[in-house]
């Protein structure tokens, strides 16, 4: 295969709903299937894909399969995060969809970074000792054969969904309506979310370095929802720029955001409080730049996700824009 299109797209809590509850899966698929057809991706990294259950069957990605039906990814292999019993998670799975051969796959959570512990200052009752900080979402890694004619031409695809900036719960400090009792408890909840996001980012960076230790010529793409903009620490930590490490010997290990080739006024994947934010990224090893042919962000129909009337019923589509990049390996 010479030309390959690779996409990342947060589908935003993609699931079935009960009868009479809107938006229904049919309503969402009607609006979002054209977005999938527009990609059209040879490798698609999806985030926030929920699992569905049927009597006598393991929980599976049935809603996603309905979305992909009638697109170039219909019947594609779906590499996804899973529980120990091999069922997909109930909510927010990571999925890599491709018709190319998947040679190997793994998911990581606390495999390369120990689970952090922290003694909360504002919890009621107070913590008597540090407690485990729960990281909800794993990292998903797949090795994909991009050319049957030349065995071994593998792409390492790592997809992520880093913790959002929504404050993590502090016992006794927030009501079921989301009202925080004090400003410092809200701040501590935000600090915990930042800790989770950075723990994931560090694990991604350690995975990238582990791959490059084994094969310095490895081709790696990290794609997904980082919940962080360019220049924020989680993105910078995964990139590993020389200006941050101050070590020129690490130049070949730098990951490059492909979004830099998109004009600034169009460089956003989320519209939040009246401002476009680039929080969905695709970072590539420098050896892929020779094959890189360009990127697209399909953000023309994004609505402001913070407005009072921006409900899922009114906007059944995702509040994220897909990012797609083209590579030519001829």
């Amino acid at each position: 295969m010479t030309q390959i299109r690779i996409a990342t797209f947060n589908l935003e809590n993609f699931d079935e709903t009960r009868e009479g509850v809107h938006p229904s899966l049919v309503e969402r698929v009607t609006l979002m299937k054209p977005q999938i057809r527009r990609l059209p991706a040879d490798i698609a990294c999806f985030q926030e894909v929920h699992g569905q259950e049927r009597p006598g069957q393991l929980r599976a990605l049935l809603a996603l399969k309905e979305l992909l039906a009638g697109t170039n990814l219909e019947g594609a292999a779906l590499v996804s995060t899973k529980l120990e019993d091999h069922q997909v998670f109930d909510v927010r799975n990571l999925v890599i969809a491709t018709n190319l051969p998947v040679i190997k796959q793994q998911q990581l959570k606390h495999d390369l970074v120990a689970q952090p512990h922290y003694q909360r200052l504002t919890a009621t009752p107070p913590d008597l000792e540090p407690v485990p900080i729960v990281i909800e979402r794993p990292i998903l890694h797949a090795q994909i054969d991009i050319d049957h004619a030349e065995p071994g031409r593998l792409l390492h695809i790592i997809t992520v969904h880093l913790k959002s900036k929504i404050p993590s719960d502090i016992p006794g400090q927030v009501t079921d309506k989301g009202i925080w009792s004090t400003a410092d408890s809200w701040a501590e909840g935000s600090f915990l979310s930042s800790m989770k996001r950075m723990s994931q980012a560090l694990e991604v960076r350690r995975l990238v370095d582990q791959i490059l230790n084994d094969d310095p010529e490895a081709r790696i793409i990290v794609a997904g929802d980082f919940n962080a903009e360019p220049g924020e620490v989680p993105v910078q930590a995964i990139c590993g720029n020389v200006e941050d490490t101050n070590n020129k010997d690490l130049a070949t290990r730098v990951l490059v955001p492909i979004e830099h080739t998109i004009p600034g006024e169009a460089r956003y994947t989320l519209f939040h409080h009246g401002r476009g934010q680039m929080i969905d990224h695709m970072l590539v090893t420098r050896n892929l730049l020779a094959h890189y042919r360009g990127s697209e962000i399909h953000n023309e129909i994004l609505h402001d996700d913070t407005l009072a009337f921006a409900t899922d019923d009114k906007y059944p589509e995702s509040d994220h824009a897909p990012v797609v990049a083209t590579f030519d390996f001829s």
Side-chain angles (χ1 to χ4, degrees):
M1 194 166 198
T2 56
Q3 193 169 93
I4 292 179
R5 286 172 65 85
I6 301 173
T8 181
F9 190 11
N10 183 324
L11 300 181
E12 192 199 355
N13 295 317
F14 196 75
D15 199 2
E16 295 176 328
T17 54
R18 299 186 307 277
E19 186 175 352
V21 176
H22 296 282
S24 67
L25 178 59
V26 171
E27 290 170 323
R28 297 203 72 188
V29 166
T30 299
L31 286 179
M32 295 174 66
K33 194 185 293 282
Q35 293 181 289
I36 304 299
R37 287 179 175 144
R38 183 183 175 188
L39 295 175
D42 300 289
I43 302 171
C45 300
F46 297 119
Q47 302 88 46
E48 290 200 31
V49 183
H50 293 357
Q52 293 75 43
E53 297 183 359
R54 296 291 184 270
Q57 300 178 13
L58 292 177
R59 189 184 303 114
L61 303 170
L62 304 179
L64 178 62
K65 290 180 180 179
E66 190 165 334
L67 175 64
L68 300 182
T71 75
N72 72 305
L73 290 172
E74 180 174 6
L78 301 179
V79 177
S80 70
T81 46
K82 291 185 178 180
L83 296 164
E84 291 182 359
D85 62 2
H86 303 295
Q87 295 190 97
V88 299
F89 287 89
D90 186 27
V91 297
R92 296 188 179 89
N93 287 279
L94 298 172
V95 182
I96 300 171
T98 183
N99 287 306
L100 296 169
V102 178
I103 305 304
K104 194 174 181 181
Q105 66 187 75
Q106 64 172 332
Q107 68 182 44
L108 298 91
K109 189 173 78 167
H110 306 315
D111 292 88
L112 302 179
V113 176
Q115 184 175 26
H117 287 66
Y118 175 75
Q119 190 165 352
R120 294 166 297 194
L121 306 172
T122 61
T124 304
D127 291 336
L128 300 179
E129 58 185 17
V131 297
I133 303 302
V134 178
I135 310 296
E136 295 88 356
R137 297 187 279 261
I139 298 158
L140 184 62
H141 170 215
Q143 297 180 45
I144 298 175
D145 188 350
I146 60 173
D147 193 346
H148 286 299
E150 189 178 330
R153 294 183 72 183
L154 300 180
L155 273 181
H156 291 265
I157 302 293
I158 301 169
T159 189
V160 302
H161 185 188
L162 304 189
K163 176 68 180 78
S164 73
K165 295 180 180 178
I166 297 172
S168 296
D169 183 55
I170 302 288
Q173 293 298 324
V174 60
T175 70
D176 56 3
K177 295 182 179 180
I179 299 173
W180 289 81
S181 62
T182 64
D184 65 333
S185 62
W186 177 90
E188 186 170 40
S190 298
F191 170 69
L192 289 177
S193 292
S194 177
M195 185 187 299
K196 295 175 183 180
R197 195 159 53 252
M198 276 307 302
S199 177
Q200 291 174 285
L202 174 58
E203 188 148 41
V204 173
R205 185 63 237 188
R206 297 204 73 190
L207 173 60
V208 168
D209 283 335
Q210 185 181 78
I211 294 168
L212 291 172
N213 288 342
D214 293 337
D215 177 11
E217 301 301 319
R219 295 166 167 171
I220 305 171
I221 295 176
V222 180
D225 180 355
F226 287 51
N227 274 305
E229 295 190 80
E232 292 192 79
V233 177
V235 179
Q236 296 299 92
I238 296 174
C239 287
N241 294 321
V242 171
E243 52 263 54
D244 293 323
T245 64
N246 199 29
N247 186 345
K248 63 180 177 57
D249 295 334
L250 299 179
T252 57
R253 291 174 172 250
V254 170
L255 298 187
V256 182
I258 52 89
E259 68 221 29
H260 288 168
T261 61
I262 294 178
E265 64 272 14
R267 197 183 302 155
Y268 62 92
T269 59
L270 186 78
F271 205 62
H272 189 77
H273 283 303
R275 185 176 73 86
Q277 298 183 4
M278 187 73 197
I279 65 170
D280 301 87
H281 303 276
M282 194 178 300
L283 315 178
V284 307
T285 43
R286 293 173 63 150
N287 56 8
L288 282 169
L289 293 179
H291 307 282
Y292 175 61
R293 296 296 177 264
S295 300
E296 308 157 22
I297 301 177
H298 301 166
N299 55 16
E300 301 90 343
I301 61 171
L302 282 182
H303 60 280
D304 193 320
D305 71 332
T306 55
L307 295 180
F309 59 81
T311 61
D312 288 342
D313 186 40
K314 188 168 185 176
Y315 296 98
E317 65 268 29
S318 173
D319 57 10
H320 290 248
V323 179
V324 58
T326 302
F327 299 85
D328 191 336
F329 295 97
S330 59

